[in-house]
Every structure is written in structure tokens, then in C-alpha cells.
Amino acid sequence: MAMGGGGSTYRSADGIWHAAIDIEPDRATGRRRRLTAQGKTKAVANARLRMKLDAYVRKGFTPNSPSPRLMDWLETWYHERAEANLRPNSRRSYENAIVRLNRIAGARRINSLGHKDMAAIQDGLKCYSPKTATITWSVLKNALEAARDENLIRRNPAKMVRPVSGRRRPMKVLSPAQAAELIRNEPDPMWRLNWLLAFATGLRQGERLGLTMDELTTLNGRRALVIDHQLQRVPDSGRADWPLGEDVTDLGNGFWLCPPKTDSGERIVVLDDVMCGALDEWLAIRKQKGVDSPMLFVTL
């Protein structure tokens, strides 16, 4: 049964009814787009197809549909554009950011968003930490840029204002003397090396705990670390939760070795004599205990 607009309904050999309809081609690529649905009866298949088409209209994907609400566009952009390229922890950050944005301005039509709306969103994010506010603003800006690419809006209003900063909290850091005292008084050789690498090289916790034995190297007679991955804890995750093609290693119990977030995270860190001494002490203890783990830091 023809439905108009290149649509049809038919029953396959297994008795299942299929309904399909062509919709406007993808505005970015020009590729054909087709909605499909199926059911045990013709009526069910058509009803499910109609629900899908209504959702496309609501989200602004058809020529005659109104501009989508921000909450609808964020959902579409996240699932169809962003989600597949995100790591599990980043995925959770994006999802939480979308919840915050929906709470502030989710009901607004994206083609009506202007300077006042951006100011309202920024005001709503001031109660959060700078990192949380920055991530949330980045999600909004990227989603609206995708809407501009789809010709759903003429300009990206998030680019017309200064980025949000959030509520800054005073950060307490150890002085060099305090850091030296901490390292000197640490009784555990493993943790002494860990603290030393943290304060002397600036390696992040995930980079330190993710160090492997094959990252220990010598360059021009100097001992060094080749930083090309980090440790992340992602509970209840599997390989399918990571972006396709991402070089990750499952260490078990929710721990993963994964590449740095950016290319600049891959680097070489040269060790001085003090760090080499602490490293040799820890390697000797590993050897004495018969440790054969590929990870540098292990619990004995």
C-alpha cells in the first residue's frame, strides 16, 4: 500500500509487515534517508512508522516541520553525531551536560535562541565548577554548530558570547618543600616513586598508574618514559562501549588502558638521577618478589 512520498507497506515471507517512507535527503551529505518500521499487522507497522515520522517532524528534520526544541535537537545530535566517537567517561559527561542544558533552556526552539538565552544558560551554569561549566558549554556550542551545518539555524549563538567560566574554587597545592617532605617520609617505595613522578614531571594520575614496563626506555644515554596511554576506570563497561578503532586494553575489574585524549598527550619524559634511583629501587623489589606484571605499579 503506497503511503506517498516514496513510501510503501508490504508483508515479507515470514509474515511480518514492513512500512517505509522516503524523507528529505541528508542536508549535509545529500544521501537518501528512509524511515522503516515493522509489525505483526499492517496497522501496527504503519502506526510505528507514523510515530517515527512524527519524531522527525518534531526534531526539525523535514522541510515543513517547525524548528526543533533544544532538548530534541540535543538528543538527536548526541545519538546520531557525537555518541559513537566518545569514550565511556566522556559519554557520561555529555549526557550529564545535556540534562543541565535541558533544565535551563530545553523547551526553547533552537532558531529562536539569541544573546539573552545564552546569558540565561551562562547564569544557570555559574553554580557549577569551572570544568563542569566548560564541558556543558562545549556540548551546547558543538550541538548548535551541527544544527547550523544542517541549516536548522543561520548562526551559532553560542559563538557570539564569551565562554562560561563557572564558579572558581580556591585550589590548595603543596609547596615544593611540602612535596619534598611527603616524598621523603613515604615508607612505601612504590608510592615514593609515584609521588616523585607526580611532582617532578607533572604526569597525571591516570598516566602514572597506567605506566607499563615497555614504556621504560633509554634515549641518547638518558633513561626516560614514553607516555602513549593512560589508565581509566570505567565500571560495567565492555569493548563495545569504546569508539570503533580505539586502541584499548581491558585489564579487568573496570580498568582500561587507552590512548591520551589528544596527540599532545603522547610525549617522552626524561628522568633525572633522583627519579632513576627511586625507579631502580622499585624495580629491584619487583624482581625480588617475582612480579611479572606488564604494569609498572602493582600491589605486592
Side-chain angles (χ1 to χ4, degrees):
M1 174 183 173
M3 298 182 62
S8 63
T9 306
Y10 65 93
R11 185 169 61 180
S12 56
D14 57 5
I16 299 297
W17 283 90
H18 302 261
I21 188 171
D22 290 325
I23 57 175
E24 182 189 25
D26 187 284
R27 293 168 180 166
T29 66
R31 293 179 179 176
R32 174 192 184 194
R33 291 194 292 190
R34 188 172 177 83
L35 294 180
T36 61
Q38 61 184 38
K40 293 183 178 181
T41 67
K42 182 191 297 185
V44 169
N46 283 331
R48 289 175 176 172
L49 181 62
R50 175 54 59 186
M51 290 175 63
K52 284 190 174 183
L53 183 58
D54 288 345
Y56 257 69
V57 171
R58 186 178 70 252
K59 295 174 183 179
F61 282 149
T62 58
N64 297 323
S65 61
S67 174
R69 297 176 300 176
L70 179 61
M71 64 175 65
D72 293 326
W73 175 247
L74 287 172
E75 178 186 0
T76 300
W77 166 79
Y78 173 69
H79 290 299
E80 297 186 5
R81 298 284 192 89
E83 185 176 20
N85 299 316
L86 296 175
R87 295 179 176 182
N89 286 339
S90 297
R91 197 174 297 133
R92 293 187 178 93
S93 296
Y94 273 52
E95 291 169 356
N96 291 333
I98 289 173
V99 170
R100 288 188 287 270
L101 291 169
N102 286 342
R103 188 182 299 126
I104 300 171
R108 296 283 293 167
R109 301 282 179 183
I110 62 173
N111 68 347
S112 68
L113 293 174
H115 187 275
K116 289 184 178 180
D117 299 290
M118 297 299 102
I121 293 174
Q122 289 185 332
D123 287 340
L125 296 177
K126 287 181 178 179
C127 61
Y128 297 101
S129 70
K131 180 178 180 180
T132 298
T134 299
I135 291 174
T136 305
W137 188 259
S138 177
V139 168
L140 174 67
K141 184 174 68 174
N142 291 338
L144 291 178
E145 187 64 17
R148 190 189 68 81
D149 292 341
E150 287 271 6
N151 295 320
L152 297 176
I153 56 177
R154 294 177 57 191
R155 294 180 295 178
N156 184 345
K159 287 187 171 182
M160 300 167 60
V161 296
R162 296 180 61 182
V164 67
S165 60
R167 181 179 62 187
R168 297 195 174 276
R169 301 170 182 172
M171 180 179 296
K172 296 181 179 180
V173 297
L174 297 180
S175 67
Q178 290 172 323
E181 183 179 2
L182 171 65
I183 295 170
R184 184 171 56 252
N185 294 330
E186 174 57 63
D188 189 322
M190 182 190 75
W191 281 105
R192 187 159 57 248
L193 174 61
N194 198 322
W195 297 134
L196 186 59
L197 291 175
F199 290 113
T201 69
L203 288 177
R204 300 178 179 88
Q205 177 172 285
E207 293 173 330
R208 301 193 310 274
L209 298 181
L211 286 171
T212 59
M213 298 299 291
D214 60 8
E215 285 182 300
L216 307 180
T217 188
T218 300
L219 296 173
N220 299 323
R222 300 288 301 277
R223 298 172 72 181
L225 302 174
V226 179
I227 309 302
D228 58 12
H229 53 254
Q230 60 184 330
L231 183 73
Q232 281 195 7
R233 184 172 184 269
V234 188
D236 303 321
S237 62
R239 182 61 185 85
D241 295 313
W242 293 83
L244 187 64
E246 186 101 307
D247 183 17
V248 297
T249 303
D250 186 0
L251 300 178
N253 298 318
F255 289 97
W256 295 80
L257 279 182
C258 61
K261 286 187 176 181
T262 63
D263 292 341
S264 62
E266 297 186 9
R267 60 200 188 279
I268 295 176
V269 177
V270 178
L271 305 179
D272 62 20
D273 292 340
V274 175
M275 288 185 282
C276 288
L279 175 60
D280 287 337
E281 180 184 10
W282 172 238
L283 292 178
I285 293 174
R286 282 174 53 105
K287 184 177 180 180
Q288 180 184 8
K289 298 292 185 179
V291 176
D292 62 356
S293 171
M295 307 303 298
L296 175 61
F297 292 115
V298 293
T299 302
L300 300 179

